[in-house]
C-alpha cells in the first residue's frame, strides 16, 4: 500500500473515511472501546454476586457457579461467540423473547459473549481473593459485632476488590485484545477495519500493523490507569520505609 493510500485509509480506524470526519461513525476505535467498556463493566457487576455464590456454603449454588465458570474459562471465546451468533436463532423461544431484537444483531451477541466470558474469569479472581481475606480483619470485624452480611459488605468484599486489582487489570487488557474476534461476525472494530482495507487493497501488512499499534497504545494506556489505581488503593500493602 502506498503512503498516500494509507493516509486515505487511516481515518477508517477512527470511525471516519476519506470523505467524512473521524469519529463520525461508531466503527474502528470507537467500536473497540464500546465493546471493552460495556462488557467489562457488566462483567464486573455480574462477577460480584457470582463470587459470593461461588464461596457460598450452599453446595448447589457453589457448584452451579463452578460449572458456569468452568464452561466459559474452558472453551475458546471465539467458539462462544459463534455459538451465540449462529446458534441462538435455532431456539423459537429466544426468537419470540424481548431480547431477540438485540441478540439477532452481531453487536448484541458480541457484548453477551464478552460479558459472560469475562464475568467467569473475574468471578473466580474475586472468589479467590475473598477466601484469602486476612484472618485478622475478619476477627476484628466480628469482635465489633458485625453479622455475616455486614462483614461481607464492609470488610471482605472491599478488601477482595482492592487486592484483585492486579489480576483484574490483566483480565481487562486480555478482554481488549479478545474484542478483535468481533470482526469475524461482521463488526467493524479495529481488526475489522484492517480486514476491510486488506480486502480492498490486497495488502495485509500496513493495515494490520496500524491495528496492532492501536492495540499496543490502548494496552499501555490501560496498564497506566490500573497502575495508578493500584498505587492509590493498594498503598497499605506496600512496605513502609524505615526511618
Amino acid at each position: 500500500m502506498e503512503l498516500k493510500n494509507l493516509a486515505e485509509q487511516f481515518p477508517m480506524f477512527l470511525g471516519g473515511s476519506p470523505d467524512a470526519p473521524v469519529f463520525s461513525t461508531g466503527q474502528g476505535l470507537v467500536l473497540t472501546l464500546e465493546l471493552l467498556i460495556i462488557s467489562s463493566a457488566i462483567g464486573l457487576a455480574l462477577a460480584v454476586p457470582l463470587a459470593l455464590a461461588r464461596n457460598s456454603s450452599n453446595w448447589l449454588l457453589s457448584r452451579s457457579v463452578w460449572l458456569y465458570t468452568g464452561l466459559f474459562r474452558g472453551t475458546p471465546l471465539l467458539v462462544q461467540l459463534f455459538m451465540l451468533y449462529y446458534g441462538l436463532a435455532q431456539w423459537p423461544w429466544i426468537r419470540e423473547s424481548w431480547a431477540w431484537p438485540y441478540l439477532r444483531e452481531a453487536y448484541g451477541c458480541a457484548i453477551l459473549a464478552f460479558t459472560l466470558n469475562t464475568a467467569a474469569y473475574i468471578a473466580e479472581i474475586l472468589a479467590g481473593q475473598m477466601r484469602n481475606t486476612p484472618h485478622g480483619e475478619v476477627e476484628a470485624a466480628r469482635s465489633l459485632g458485625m453479622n455475616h452480611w455486614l462483614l461481607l459488605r464492609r470488610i471482605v468484599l472491599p478488601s477482595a476488590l482492592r487486592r484483585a486489582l492486579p489480576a483484574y487489570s490483566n483480565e481487562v487488557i486480555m478482554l481488549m485484545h479478545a474484542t478483535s474476534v468481533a470482526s469475524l461476525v461482521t463488526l467493524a472494530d479495529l481488526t475489522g477495519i484492517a480486514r476491510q482495507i486488506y480486502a480492498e487493497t490486497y495488502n495485509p501488512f500496513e493495515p494490520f500493523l496500524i491495528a496492532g499499534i492501536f492495540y499496543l497504545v490502548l494496552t499501555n494506556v490501560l496498564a497506566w490507569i490500573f497502575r495508578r489505581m493500584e498505587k492509590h488503593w493498594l498503598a497499605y500493602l506496600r512496605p513502609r520505609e524505615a526511618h
Side-chain angles (χ1 to χ4, degrees):
M1 184 187 299
E2 297 179 358
L3 291 178
K4 180 180 179 181
N5 292 334
L6 182 60
E8 292 176 350
Q9 300 287 358
F10 182 78
M12 295 176 64
F13 289 96
L14 297 174
S17 70
D19 302 320
V22 297
F23 303 121
S24 59
T25 68
Q27 295 185 345
L29 178 63
V30 174
L31 182 55
T32 294
L33 291 176
E34 280 185 9
L35 294 174
L36 173 64
I37 294 172
I38 296 174
S39 299
S40 59
I42 301 177
L44 178 60
L46 288 176
V48 172
L50 287 173
L52 293 173
R54 182 72 177 90
N55 289 334
S56 172
S57 58
N58 185 309
W59 181 87
L60 181 60
L61 190 59
S62 177
R63 282 296 175 177
S64 297
V65 178
W66 171 82
L67 180 62
Y68 161 73
T69 59
L71 176 65
F72 278 90
R73 294 195 303 157
T75 56
L77 176 58
L78 180 59
V79 173
Q80 298 165 20
L81 178 59
F82 279 175
M83 290 186 66
L84 291 174
Y85 183 64
Y86 296 111
L88 290 180
Q90 307 297 317
W91 304 92
W93 62 273
I94 293 181
R95 296 197 305 270
E96 297 169 0
S97 70
W98 62 269
W100 181 241
Y102 304 97
L103 296 179
R104 70 183 178 185
E105 302 292 338
Y107 184 83
C109 289
I111 290 291
L112 181 60
F114 297 153
T115 298
L116 294 177
N117 183 272
T118 194
Y121 282 94
I122 300 172
E124 287 293 344
I125 292 172
L126 288 178
Q129 292 297 339
M130 290 170 64
R131 289 192 294 268
N132 292 331
T133 301
H135 186 69
E137 295 182 11
V138 176
E139 288 301 316
R142 286 175 176 168
S143 69
L144 295 176
M146 290 188 182
N147 58 33
H148 176 71
W149 290 109
L150 185 59
L151 175 63
L152 283 176
R153 183 169 62 87
R154 298 291 298 273
I155 304 298
V156 176
L157 190 55
S159 177
L161 286 168
R162 288 195 298 268
R163 288 181 285 109
L165 262 178
Y168 176 67
S169 65
N170 288 333
E171 169 57 24
V172 172
I173 290 174
M174 292 299 294
L175 176 62
M176 187 267 293
H177 294 162
T179 58
S180 60
V181 304
S183 64
L184 299 178
V185 290
T186 72
L187 291 178
D189 66 330
L190 286 172
T191 305
I193 294 298
R195 287 163 58 90
Q196 288 181 15
I197 297 175
Y198 167 57
E200 295 173 3
T201 63
Y202 299 103
N203 190 336
F205 183 76
E206 287 85 353
F208 285 107
L209 175 62
I210 294 175
I213 292 173
F214 270 106
Y215 285 117
L216 180 62
V217 171
L218 287 175
T219 297
N220 282 279
V221 170
L222 288 173
W224 179 82
I225 291 173
F226 279 107
R227 280 197 301 270
R228 300 294 297 179
M229 295 171 65
E230 291 173 25
K231 184 177 180 180
H232 177 73
W233 279 305
L234 297 179
Y236 71 99
L237 294 178
R238 293 199 301 269
R240 295 183 178 180
E241 297 181 359
H243 296 285

